[in-house]
Amino acid sequence: MAALVPALAASNWTSVVEIIDRDWAEIWYAVDPSDLRVMLTQLPDEEAAQLTHGRFLLSVAGLRGDDPYVSTSADPDASVETAAQRMAELRLNGQPLASLRIAERMNGEIVQRRGRLVDTTQGKAALWSIQVAISALLAGDLRSAKGLLLAATESHRPRRFPFVRREAAAKLALTHALAGKSTAARDWADRARALPRTASWVEPMIDDSLWLVDYVLAVDSLDLHRAEEMRLARPSPLDHLEFWGIALITHVRHLALTARHAQAESLHESIAALGLPLPRSDGWLAHMLSDSRLHALPHGDLAIRAPQTTEAVLAQRFGAFVKGQLPAVVAPVPSLPDEALAVRAELGLRILRVQAFHTINPTDATRSALLGTLAEVWERDLPSTVRYVSSATAAALADTAEGSRLADLIRLHDLRLLEIAPVTSEPLTPAESTVLEYLAAGHSRQQIATQLTVSLSTVKSHLRTSYRKLGATNRAEALAALELLVGTADP
């Protein structure tokens, strides 16, 4: 970079072309894109035509129509660097999975070049690892992202790309925060801040990542005063470029926690109006918007049309829980894709289910399960998930250490707990119980009427009233509730 400026000033185009072809990646990260465009407009067309893989800079600066990702050089460095840029481009178009496919194709070459005990690529291998890790994160694969970023933080003397260790540490902090690992997230954020800043235009983006880590942790830990200050300072999730979806979901979760559902819905709609996510989006990006709406919904809203994700299942059962439809809450959870990013949804779902079991059939075992689930909330430092706790649960556990801690949290943050309908609005009559027992044995309504020597309309009436009392909406839910009421189910 130091040699490029005097070469441009002297119009030494031979040197300019040589420097750009040799150092184009370093130049790209060292010079602000708008400044780079001004610099490169000086390069005559006939000289620009002599560039090989350095053509990337001209294309991204909007000065040439060439495909920046087709290298005319056999230099392996060029293929790695252009592939990394192509990955970033795909992510910005909402396609982290497509971005990862490029990484898979390049993997053999990267392993061959990086397969040493000490990285001698002066930061290039770390730069590649960060690009792949960001794609993995946005695709929902946090485990792979963590491994790649950890390797990048150990880069040996990254002279060519001196910012990579700081960027890797910041992205690793964000990955841990999303995985619900608050202690690790704080540790890595502190490490990133302790590393020296560079002159690269990437540094403000690293700061954005660290800001987002702090915001996620503030919301998770119910540090709501700090979270509100941060939200007001940066009210637009779009400030975070590639991570707009993460910022949006965090903003909406924050607003929902403080009972500002209309504001959360408005924020969601403002982003949707911009056409996000983009039409061909894949990975987690494809359903970030629908996930944010699920958090914006006030509890009890069952009109959900969303991909079948853990977030969607949680929202559906959240609504069922507050309506007293407890058999629907304790029903087996359908098989879902492995979602490393759904840690909060999984914990919330577990809180709802164990409460439903205890409400339907209170036993020492279900009480112990309630206490164990609350202990996990504290252990994982995710007190924001207490939004799924009911006032009945808080009262039932008031005489325990976990319940006392819950009560303190509720008072401190003025949290609104859930109110749910009773398991049965009134006891089942003998006739209703008998009809349900025949139903459980597999008999049809007509067969039940024949067996009991009553009319079909009488059977239907008994079923209708028993469903209402059990908070069930169909046969499966009614039978599940009956099973729980007689104590045969196990949470």
Side-chain angles (χ1 to χ4, degrees):
M1 180 59 207
L4 178 62
V5 174
L8 282 168
S11 299
N12 187 345
W13 306 124
T14 300
S15 294
V16 168
V17 168
E18 179 183 341
I19 293 166
I20 291 176
D21 261 343
R22 184 188 67 222
D23 300 329
W24 70 269
E26 291 93 324
I27 294 169
W28 166 245
Y29 284 105
V31 183
D32 183 274
S34 59
D35 294 336
L36 181 64
R37 178 182 173 85
V38 173
M39 292 171 63
L40 295 181
T41 53
Q42 303 174 52
L43 187 63
D45 287 346
E46 59 271 20
E47 302 298 339
Q50 303 301 314
L51 290 170
T52 55
H53 43 276
R55 287 161 45 202
F56 171 83
L57 292 184
L58 298 180
S59 182
V60 296
L63 300 176
R64 299 291 186 277
D66 299 337
D67 182 350
Y69 308 111
V70 177
S71 175
T72 58
S73 169
D75 181 355
D77 281 354
S79 61
V80 171
E81 290 160 352
T82 54
Q85 297 301 332
R86 177 58 172 159
M87 290 177 66
E89 177 82 4
L90 284 168
R91 287 199 310 272
L92 288 172
N93 287 325
Q95 297 174 274
L97 288 178
S99 176
L100 284 176
R101 285 194 284 272
I102 292 179
E104 291 167 1
R105 291 198 297 269
M106 296 292 297
N107 189 56
E109 182 174 325
I110 296 298
V111 169
Q112 182 178 0
R113 292 175 55 73
R114 176 63 179 86
R116 305 181 178 91
L117 292 177
V118 176
D119 179 12
T120 59
T121 64
Q122 300 179 353
K124 183 175 296 183
L127 183 67
W128 172 260
S129 293
I130 291 171
Q131 291 298 317
V132 180
I134 296 172
S135 296
L137 188 158
L138 294 175
D141 184 357
L142 296 190
R143 181 176 299 178
S144 296
K146 286 178 186 177
L148 289 160
L149 290 168
L150 189 60
T153 63
E154 298 169 352
S155 178
H156 179 69
R157 297 179 183 174
R159 182 183 62 80
R160 295 181 65 189
F161 306 99
F163 58 86
V164 293
R165 292 178 62 193
R166 191 170 122 84
E167 182 179 19
K171 297 297 191 293
L172 190 54
L174 180 59
T175 304
H176 279 296
L178 295 175
K181 306 290 186 182
S182 58
T183 300
R186 290 188 179 96
D187 287 346
W188 279 107
D190 289 343
R191 293 191 203 187
R193 291 188 173 98
L195 289 169
R197 294 176 65 87
T198 68
S200 173
W201 57 268
V202 176
E203 291 290 351
M205 298 173 67
I206 298 174
D207 294 336
D208 285 345
S209 296
L210 292 171
W211 186 95
L212 194 51
V213 170
D214 289 345
Y215 188 40
V216 171
L217 295 178
V219 173
D220 276 347
S221 64
L222 290 181
D223 187 354
L224 298 180
H225 178 72
R226 174 165 170 72
E228 185 66 9
E229 288 182 338
M230 296 184 73
R231 188 189 68 81
L232 293 174
R234 290 195 176 185
S236 175
L238 297 181
D239 288 343
H240 299 279
L241 298 177
E242 286 189 287
F243 300 128
W244 65 267
I246 296 170
L248 173 63
I249 290 173
T250 308
H251 274 262
V252 169
R253 284 179 53 232
H254 176 202
L255 292 169
L257 273 169
T258 49
R260 291 176 284 181
H261 296 285
Q263 193 173 342
E265 181 76 8
S266 176
L267 179 60
H268 165 89
E269 294 300 334
S270 69
I271 300 299
L274 298 174
L276 295 172
L278 297 173
R280 297 178 62 187
S281 292
D282 57 30
W284 188 33
L285 281 172
H287 55 85
M288 278 181 171
L289 194 69
S290 60
D291 281 356
S292 77
R293 182 171 184 272
L294 295 177
H295 287 286
L297 292 171
H299 60 71
D301 189 342
L302 293 179
I304 296 169
R305 299 289 182 270
Q308 189 72 340
T309 63
T310 306
E311 296 281 6
V313 173
L314 171 63
Q316 291 159 352
R317 300 201 180 188
F318 191 15
F321 184 80
V322 298
K323 286 179 169 56
Q325 298 170 358
L326 302 186
V329 179
V330 299
V333 178
S335 178
L336 297 167
D338 181 22
E339 298 174 276
L341 291 154
V343 57
R344 295 161 190 79
E346 290 171 352
L347 185 54
L349 188 56
R350 198 150 61 248
I351 291 170
L352 290 177
R353 295 187 78 232
V354 73
Q355 287 181 105
F357 274 112
H358 185 69
T359 306
I360 291 171
N361 187 26
T363 65
D364 289 343
T366 56
R367 179 181 171 86
S368 177
L370 277 174
L371 292 170
T373 306
L374 274 182
E376 185 177 353
V377 169
W378 315 137
E379 181 183 349
R380 301 181 76 164
D381 197 16
L382 291 174
S384 60
T385 54
V386 300
R387 69 173 295 206
Y388 302 110
V389 173
S390 72
S391 58
T393 295
L397 302 180
D399 60 340
T400 68
E402 300 297 346
S404 177
R405 185 170 181 178
L406 174 63
D408 290 343
L409 193 70
I410 293 165
R411 284 193 297 270
L412 179 63
H413 300 292
D414 194 24
L415 298 178
R416 299 182 185 181
L417 297 185
L418 304 182
E419 300 295 338
I420 63 171
V423 181
T424 56
S425 56
E426 56 186 286
L428 295 173
T429 66
E432 290 164 350
S433 296
T434 301
V435 168
L436 285 173
E437 288 168 5
Y438 273 99
L439 195 68
H443 295 287
S444 68
R445 296 179 181 185
Q446 184 58 63
Q447 289 171 331
I448 296 171
T450 302
Q451 291 284 339
L452 298 178
T453 63
V454 296
S455 68
L456 179 60
S457 62
T458 298
V459 171
K460 290 180 178 178
S461 176
H462 287 324
L463 288 174
R464 186 164 53 251
T465 56
S466 63
Y467 280 22
R468 175 179 56 78
K469 291 178 180 180
L470 293 170
T473 58
N474 55 48
R475 172 188 178 125
E477 291 178 4
L479 294 181
L482 182 67
E483 183 181 22
L484 290 167
L485 283 172
V486 296
T488 57
D490 180 7

